[in-house]
């Protein structure tokens, strides 16, 4: 599985947008970019995924670079409930499992 | 909201006991997974299944075993629990489509004394 690189931690103010970066320079043409998050004492939760085009859903937006070597998860208005570990994961369309890295710890200040 | 359940949520047990962690999903998903996660650490895949009567070992070696006799049920068993088995165990399932989003249960936090 191709590797991703994320900052260890980030901090945001409540009600402000948050941009969580992810580098994946070895991404292959059939790798989907997935984002999950894990709130304290809970199992991971799916956030969003994309292949080539930018994606929006009720939770977040995913901006994918034109060369696909990087992507950014955008939380439009951070709340205290968004404080979690955010994982950027590459998964081949024919692959069978997710490989979780260390992720980015997002802290949200009130 | 995902319909995947794990019981018990917390378990404290003595060394040498046999334990079974339950995982059930009502979404009809063929693929199911078990992950292990120590506090503050990464998740590691320990078992997965593509469907009934299919089980495979994951990336992290584990002394646990799994079975898949019914689509909705994927229990994990430790024949003889040891303190080194103390961890959080997370179950997940996915529908097997191209993007294959995984849905996670709340986890079982196991403590072996």
């Amino acid at each position: 599985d191709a590797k991703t690189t994320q900052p260890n931690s980030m901090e945001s103010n409540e009600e402000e947008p948050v941009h969580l970066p992810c580098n994946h320079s070895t991404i292959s043409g059939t790798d989907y970019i997935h984002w999950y998050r894990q709130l304290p004492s809970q199992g991971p939760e799916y956030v969003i995924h994309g292949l080539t085009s930018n994606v929006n859903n009720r939770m977040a937006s995913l901006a994918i670079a034109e060369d696909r070597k990087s992507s950014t998860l955008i939380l439009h208005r951070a709340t205290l409930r968004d404080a979690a570990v955010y994982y950027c994961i590459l998964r081949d369309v024919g692959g069978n499992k997710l490989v979780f890295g260390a992720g980015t710890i997002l802290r949200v200040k009130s | 909201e995902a319909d995947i359940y794990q019981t018990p949520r917390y378990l404290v047990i003595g060394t040498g006991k046999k334990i079974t962690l339950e995982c059930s999903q009502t979404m009809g998903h063929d693929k199911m997974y078990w992950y292990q996660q120590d506090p503050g650490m990464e998740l590691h895949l320990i078992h997965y299944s593509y469907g009934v009567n299919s089980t495979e070992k994951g990336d992290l070696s584990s002394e646990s075993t799994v079975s898949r006799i019914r689509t909705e049920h994927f229990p994990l068993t430790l024949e003889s629990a040891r303190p080194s088995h103390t961890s959080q165990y997370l179950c997940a399932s996915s529908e097997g489509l191209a993007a294959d989003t995984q849905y996670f249960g709340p986890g079982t936090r196991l403590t072996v004394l």
Side-chain angles (χ1 to χ4, degrees):
Chain A
D1 296 293
K3 188 173 170 56
T4 63
T5 303
Q6 299 177 252
N8 291 333
S9 64
M10 292 185 65
E11 201 167 77
S12 170
N13 293 316
E14 202 175 8
E15 302 296 319
E16 290 186 358
V18 182
H19 291 234
L20 296 164
C22 181
N23 288 319
H24 28 78
S25 58
T26 59
I27 191 170
S28 73
T30 53
D31 281 336
Y32 279 86
I33 302 161
H34 290 253
W35 283 83
Y36 284 75
R37 72 179 185 181
Q38 187 173 21
L39 280 65
S41 302
Q42 295 188 28
E45 173 188 32
Y46 166 79
V47 178
I48 200 167
H49 76 274
L51 185 61
T52 56
S53 303
N54 295 343
V55 184
N56 300 296
N57 67 19
R58 64 174 179 82
M59 290 181 69
S61 296
L62 177 60
I64 301 173
E66 198 168 327
D67 64 4
R68 301 211 324 127
K69 294 184 184 301
S70 66
S71 61
T72 302
L73 179 71
I74 302 165
L75 306 179
H76 295 285
R77 287 180 63 198
T79 70
L80 296 178
R81 292 187 301 174
D82 291 322
V85 180
Y86 286 78
Y87 300 99
C88 170
I89 301 167
L90 299 183
R91 188 171 175 283
D92 185 83
V93 67
N96 299 309
K97 53 195 184 198
L98 298 173
V99 178
F100 286 82
T104 296
I105 299 170
L106 175 65
R107 297 183 179 91
V108 180
K109 298 184 298 183
S110 59
Chain B
E1 191 156 319
D3 296 322
I4 181 162
Y5 309 99
Q6 291 186 246
T7 57
R9 290 293 312 278
Y10 302 92
L11 179 61
V12 180
I13 201 162
T15 298
K17 301 290 186 183
K18 178 180 178 179
I19 60 170
T20 296
L21 308 184
E22 302 289 348
C23 176
S24 295
Q25 50 96 5
T26 58
M27 297 172 282
H29 288 170
D30 283 327
K31 293 185 176 180
M32 295 189 73
Y33 314 81
W34 276 102
Y35 293 84
Q36 185 176 342
Q37 184 178 36
D38 293 332
M41 304 298 284
E42 300 172 17
L43 285 88
H44 293 283
L45 182 70
I46 52 174
H47 299 283
Y48 60 101
S49 167
Y50 297 147
V52 171
N53 294 324
S54 151
T55 61
E56 303 284 344
K57 289 198 177 292
D59 302 322
L60 181 69
S61 176
S62 173
E63 293 170 345
S64 59
T65 59
V66 292
S67 62
R68 190 88 183 277
I69 298 171
R70 302 197 319 263
T71 297
E72 62 271 21
H73 195 214
F74 191 39
L76 180 146
T77 298
L78 277 165
E79 290 292 334
S80 180
R82 294 207 298 269
S84 60
H85 296 140
T86 295
S87 190
Q88 172 152 270
Y89 293 84
L90 290 152
C91 180
S93 71
S94 65
E95 54 198 335
L97 299 179
D100 213 18
T101 300
Q102 289 190 15
Y103 298 92
F104 284 79
T108 294
R109 187 166 297 280
L110 172 66
T111 302
V112 184
L113 303 176

